[in-house]
Amino acid sequence: MNLNVGISDWKVSKPPDVIVTYALGSCVGICLYDKRTKIAGLSHIMLPDSGNSGEANINRMKFADTAIPDMLKKMVALGAMQSGITAKIAGGATMFSASGCDRFNIGERNVVAVKAALQTLRIPIIGQDTGANYGRTLFLYPETGKVKVKSASKGERDL
């Protein structure tokens, strides 16, 4: 069964499910996997940091600094071992040119924030497909930990 992860969402599962997220532009998809237990999680973050949101009841799944630790906690609660979890990330594209203004390059800022969050949690990144200027769809297979990246301009490939 496919579990669909929307924007500002995450899902955790085991085989035989496949976890999928569509339309990663400047957003970043974070795939976490424990090969011993075959517990997998996929997060689709939209923004780097919850600290400046100004929202009283924020959606913690929207931000790299809150979504990744929350998803990891759920995986550990289901039996995953944090010390055995690895990450693969994709997305963070520059979808719109902002005439040399880096402040608006949210894709790059998202990638930096995701990498920082994973480093803080001591989760190694073993595969990535980030940046450039095209959208991506991710498929995470908990049975094997395999991640497929699909894009209109680059076709399909393993991450």
Side-chain angles (χ1 to χ4, degrees), residues 86-103:
T86 56
K88 295 180 181 180
I89 64 172
T94 302
M95 300 304 288
F96 308 102
S97 179
S99 63
C101 184
D102 288 340
R103 179 174 176 260

Side-chain angles (χ1 to χ4, degrees), residues 56-80:
N57 295 315
I58 65 166
N59 174 0
R60 292 176 56 87
M61 294 183 279
K62 184 187 281 189
F63 306 98
D65 68 329
T66 50
I68 297 169
D70 289 355
M71 184 171 69
L72 176 64
K73 284 179 192 169
K74 177 68 173 181
M75 291 175 68
V76 169
L78 291 174

Side-chain angles (χ1 to χ4, degrees), residues 12-94:
V12 172
S13 191
K14 289 182 164 185
D17 294 336
V18 176
I19 313 172
V20 183
T21 195
Y22 301 92
L24 288 167
S26 60
C27 295
V28 176
I30 304 98
C31 301
L32 300 183
Y33 184 65
D34 179 355
K35 69 179 177 181
R36 184 185 60 80
T37 61
K38 298 185 179 184
I39 295 172
L42 175 57
S43 176
H44 184 139
I45 65 102
M46 186 174 162
L47 296 170
D49 185 340
S50 61
N52 299 323
S53 72
E55 297 176 44
N57 295 315
I58 65 166
N59 174 0
R60 292 176 56 87
M61 294 183 279
K62 184 187 281 189
F63 306 98
D65 68 329
T66 50
I68 297 169
D70 289 355
M71 184 171 69
L72 176 64
K73 284 179 192 169
K74 177 68 173 181
M75 291 175 68
V76 169
L78 291 174
M81 298 278 295
Q82 184 170 342
S83 62
I85 292 175
T86 56
K88 295 180 181 180
I89 64 172
T94 302

Side-chain angles (χ1 to χ4, degrees), residues 129 137-139 141 146-159:
D129 179 7
T137 293
L138 293 182
F139 296 83
Y141 299 85
K146 184 178 192 177
V147 175
K148 282 190 182 181
V149 180
K150 286 186 180 181
S151 63
S153 62
K154 301 291 181 183
E156 181 179 312
R157 63 203 171 283
D158 291 339
L159 182 60

